[in-house]
Amino acid sequence: WTAVVSDEAHEFKEPSTRVSHVMKALNTEFRLAMTGTPVVNRLLDAWNIVDFLRPLHLGSQKEFRNQFELKPEQGGITEGARRLRDYLNVASRPPIPSNAVILRRSKEEELPDLPSKVERVLSCPLSSDQRAKYLDLIGATKDQDGRGAMLVLLPRMNKLLQHPCLLSENFDRYEPTALKEQSPKLRLLLQ
């Protein structure tokens, strides 16, 4: 693989699981792991994700536990987490190396003088083809019973509203010009 991108990386936070072993065994030039919950039970959870990204960057499991999983008299998990955060923050300060581990920070922490967010709502009416397909989807759902029909309808409607070709089995066969012509949303985005 050229690249391995993992969302929900906390799914392989446990070092001894099969999925963790498989992820670490992938031979790849580039690795990216994203998670909102890197640590659930212990700091070793974070070690395993970082070890997937940069093998032995935080040392072996034993070295990591000795340095960061501290006993209560040493400050416990609070002090260990602070040390780990500080260690990873130093490695990801600008200029950020290509193999950095980056911890999410709040805007208030990093950019206290950031101007307020400006929202701009753009109106994007459906094309006549999208409108017809939209009504067809609703009509087909009216003939079905139960909430299950709605659960099938919603993702199909979402695809239709994003781009009509997403409802097609062979959406990858379209040329860029045709893709642009079929979607008012895509045209607005490109504009």
Side-chain angles (χ1 to χ4, degrees):
W1 300 96
T2 300
V4 173
V5 178
S6 170
D7 192 10
E8 307 295 345
H10 56 272
E11 293 291 332
F12 61 89
K13 69 184 180 344
E14 292 288 333
S16 60
T17 62
R18 180 174 286 159
V19 70
S20 176
H21 291 279
V22 168
M23 292 298 287
K24 289 182 175 186
L26 293 171
N27 185 11
T28 181
E29 298 171 24
F30 176 82
R31 294 173 181 218
L32 177 66
M34 299 169 288
T35 180
T37 52
V39 177
V40 176
N41 297 318
R42 56 191 290 201
L43 290 177
L44 193 63
D45 296 348
W47 171 85
N48 199 51
I49 295 169
V50 173
D51 198 57
F52 158 74
L53 295 168
R54 296 177 68 188
L56 298 176
H57 177 66
L58 295 174
S60 67
Q61 282 189 48
K62 184 177 180 181
E63 292 166 334
F64 179 84
R65 283 195 304 263
N66 289 338
Q67 185 174 357
F68 297 106
E69 289 199 334
L70 306 176
K71 295 180 173 66
E73 59 272 12
Q74 297 171 303
I77 193 166
T78 304
E79 177 61 19
R82 187 195 61 74
R83 281 188 193 178
L84 178 59
R85 185 194 66 230
D86 291 348
Y87 179 83
L88 292 173
N89 282 341
V90 167
S92 62
R93 286 206 180 105
I96 298 173
S98 61
N99 60 354
V101 174
I102 300 174
L103 301 176
R104 182 177 181 183
R105 298 167 183 91
S106 70
K107 287 184 279 186
E108 293 77 18
E109 260 181 347
E110 296 298 314
L111 303 167
D113 300 325
L114 192 66
S116 299
K117 178 170 75 171
V118 175
E119 288 188 33
R120 194 170 122 206
V121 178
L122 302 175
S123 178
C124 185
L126 297 176
S127 69
S128 56
D129 184 48
Q130 278 178 305
R131 196 173 296 113
K133 288 179 180 177
Y134 188 89
L135 293 172
D136 288 345
L137 285 173
I138 291 173
T141 305
K142 284 182 180 177
D143 297 338
Q144 299 174 9
D145 290 332
R147 291 172 31 154
M150 290 303 290
L151 294 176
V152 171
L153 174 66
L154 291 174
R156 297 197 75 214
M157 287 178 121
N158 187 34
K159 286 180 180 181
L160 174 65
L161 298 176
Q162 296 307 315
H163 198 294
C165 78
L166 293 175
L167 291 176
S168 168
E169 298 261 334
N170 302 316
F171 67 86
D172 57 344
R173 67 174 162 80
Y174 292 96
E175 293 297 319
T177 306
L179 290 171
K180 190 174 166 182
E181 289 172 5
Q182 293 178 15
S183 173
K185 188 179 251 186
L186 180 57
R187 287 193 303 273
L188 184 62
L189 173 69
L190 293 172
Q191 182 184 8

